[in-house]
Amino acid sequence: RDSVLSLLALGLASAPPRAGALAAAGVHRIGTLSGGSSPKAKDQPNWPHFFAVMRELGYEEGRNVIYEMRYAEGTPARLPQLAAELVASGVQLIVTTGATEAVAASRATATIPVVAIHVSDPVELGLAVSLARPGRNLTGSTLYIPGFAGKALELLIEAVPSARRIGMLGNPAQPNYADIRQELERVAAAKGAMLLPTSEASRPEGLETALARIAKD
């Protein structure tokens, strides 16, 4: 909770003058950018917790905060347009989940603060100068650091020594997809295992087919 408060406070304090009237009135306009369905949908893994914590921190929708929500419904190609819409709407802050969303938001604005939840390798993607000092208009959290995917595969092979054919489910729309694939191939070869051709799914409806292909292989 403290992390959320710190990141949002930093973002709102850095908001451009354009949003000053709303802020002065005590109402904050926050944009959310999601590659999936509506952040208010029941199947969302991250957004319900975000809104719950915001309420705990005293931000009540309709009273002192307004959410401008944009979601691509599983079509990543729509994200740049949706990010541009958020910028045009005059939001003070943009909150995203995922690398693709963060890239779209950062390309749409160099002044409005962007808080990225679970963005992968922001330095490699050009979103930050360094993890310690991002240096641009993006901050947030990351679950990925260089070598993380390879280490996970090493641990998997140690836990299951008989594993020699490793399946991979990938989303080619993710910016660092190719880099992770190369990292896993390198580790698999070093461990005497084989990384099978990637079973890809860039939309939710493609998951069932992709998983069936992995099972067949």
Side-chain angles (χ1 to χ4, degrees):
R1 184 171 68 179
D2 290 342
S3 297
V4 172
L5 176 60
S6 298
L7 292 172
L8 291 171
L10 175 63
L12 291 172
S14 306
R18 180 181 179 186
L22 275 175
V27 179
H28 302 288
R29 186 182 294 273
I30 297 176
T32 67
L33 184 61
S34 168
S37 56
S38 167
K40 294 296 182 70
K42 293 182 180 179
D43 62 347
Q44 288 295 310
N46 296 311
W47 289 109
H49 181 66
F50 167 76
F51 290 121
V53 171
M54 288 293 286
R55 288 192 295 271
E56 290 180 21
L57 295 172
Y59 292 95
E60 297 181 13
E61 188 173 6
R63 182 178 68 85
N64 57 359
V65 64
I66 297 172
Y67 294 111
E68 291 284 350
M69 291 178 283
R70 299 292 188 276
Y71 41 97
E73 298 181 296
T75 306
R78 296 184 57 208
L79 288 170
Q81 174 190 342
L82 298 175
E85 289 179 8
L86 286 176
V87 173
S89 73
V91 295
Q92 299 166 264
L93 180 73
I94 298 176
V95 182
T96 72
T97 59
T100 310
E101 293 90 331
V103 169
S106 293
R107 288 178 177 173
T109 177
T111 56
I112 298 174
V114 176
V115 175
I117 303 172
H118 302 336
V119 64
S120 58
D121 204 350
V123 177
E124 179 67 23
L125 294 175
L127 300 175
V129 177
S130 70
L131 293 179
R133 296 181 179 276
R136 298 195 172 98
N137 64 317
L138 179 137
T139 188
S141 62
T142 177
L143 293 181
Y144 174 79
I145 57 175
F148 180 84
K151 176 55 69 173
L153 181 55
E154 286 182 4
L155 293 173
L156 172 64
I157 294 175
E158 288 180 16
V160 188
S162 61
R164 286 296 174 264
R165 293 168 58 81
I166 310 295
M168 176 181 174
L169 174 64
N171 180 357
Q174 290 294 329
N176 62 339
Y177 165 78
D179 292 337
I180 292 178
R181 169 79 199 190
Q182 292 177 0
E183 181 180 328
L184 293 176
E185 287 177 339
R186 176 181 55 77
V187 172
K191 293 291 185 178
M194 175 189 299
L195 191 67
L196 301 176
T198 307
S199 196
E200 298 178 345
S202 57
R203 293 177 60 85
E205 54 266 31
L207 283 172
E208 186 173 346
T209 300
L211 290 170
R213 189 178 304 120
I214 289 178
K216 181 179 179 181
D217 289 341

